[in-house]
Amino acid sequence: MLVEGTCKRLMTVDEHVGIAVAGLLADGRQLVNRARDEAASYREFYGEPIPGKVLAERLAGFVHAYTMYWSVRPFGSSVLVAAKDKDGTSLWVIEPSGLTYNYLGAAIGKGKQASKVELEKLKLSEMTCREAVNAVARIIYSVHDDVKDKDFELELSWICEESDWKHQKVPSDLVQKAAQEAKAALEEPAED
C-alpha cells in the first residue's frame, strides 16, 4: 500500500536547482543535503547562486570519493540535477560512480533504457513546459510494468517561465490531467 506523499523523490536544493533521486532514498537525501550545503557555501562566498555545472561537478566529486576507500560504501543512488543560471537551463546526471553528464533530456532508475528511447523521439528543444509534462507522464506510464513493478506516485517538477525560473512542483491539476492522458494513451490500440 502506497500512502500518497510519503516517498518524495523530487527535492529543491536552491531556488533555481532541483534534484530527482532514483535508487536508495536515504542515499539520495544525503546527496541532496550535500548539494544544499554546496549551494549555500557558494552563495555565501561568491554572493550569487551556484551554476548548475559547478554544483553537478562538486556533487559528482563527493559521490566519487565514496568509491575510492574501503571504509565507506558507494552511494546507491543516481540523481538528476536541473538548474537555471546565467548560462541558461541545464540537466545533469550523476551516477553512483561519480560520473556526471550534461543532457537535454535524461532518465535514471529502473526503466531508464526504455525511457531514453522514448525521450530520443521527442523534440525537446521545441516543446513548451506543458507539452513536456504530458510527454514525460506518458513515458513514465508506458515504461512502468504493473505486474513486475511496485506502485508509484507520479511526481513532476519544473524550472521554466511558468514557475518564474524557480524549481517548483508542477501544479497537481496539471499532473492529474497528464496522468489521465497518459493512461488513456496506453489503452488506445497501437497504430501499425
Side-chain angles (χ1 to χ4, degrees), residues 2 137 140-146 149-155 183:
L2 179 66
I140 290 172
Y141 276 99
S142 69
V143 301
H144 182 262
D145 186 353
D146 289 332
D149 298 337
K150 59 185 177 182
D151 289 341
F152 73 96
E153 179 182 353
L154 182 63
E155 283 185 273
K183 290 174 185 174

Side-chain angles (χ1 to χ4, degrees), residues 71-184:
S71 59
V72 292
R73 69 170 178 79
F75 286 98
S77 293
S78 293
V79 294
L80 288 175
V81 179
K84 166 71 168 115
D85 52 41
K86 60 187 173 199
D87 298 326
T89 56
S90 59
L91 180 66
W92 298 85
V93 174
I94 302 171
E95 296 181 348
S97 63
L99 290 174
T100 182
Y101 303 101
N102 186 7
Y103 289 103
L104 186 58
I108 55 175
K110 187 174 182 180
K112 84 175 180 182
Q113 280 310 116
S115 298
K116 282 183 179 182
V117 169
E118 294 298 317
L119 281 170
E120 289 171 357
K121 295 176 184 177
L122 301 176
K123 294 181 178 167
L124 294 171
S125 59
E126 299 172 7
M127 295 178 96
T128 66
C129 280
R130 288 181 182 257
E131 292 170 341
V133 164
N134 291 333
V136 168
R138 184 185 50 76
I139 291 170
I140 290 172
Y141 276 99
S142 69
V143 301
H144 182 262
D145 186 353
D146 289 332
V147 176
K148 293 191 292 185
D149 298 337
K150 59 185 177 182
D151 289 341
F152 73 96
E153 179 182 353
L154 182 63
E155 283 185 273
L156 300 171
S157 66
W158 58 13
I159 301 174
C160 62
E161 291 174 8
E162 288 193 47
S163 68
D164 197 27
W165 299 110
K166 294 179 180 161
H167 181 255
Q168 295 177 350
K169 301 271 180 165
V170 175
S172 59
D173 58 326
L174 287 178
V175 173
Q176 290 171 354
K177 181 181 174 201
Q180 290 170 350
E181 289 177 10
K183 290 174 185 174

Side-chain angles (χ1 to χ4, degrees), residues 35-49:
R36 287 175 178 157
D37 290 345
E38 291 287 352
S41 174
Y42 191 95
R43 187 181 294 268
E44 183 180 327
F45 191 80
Y46 293 105
E48 62 182 33

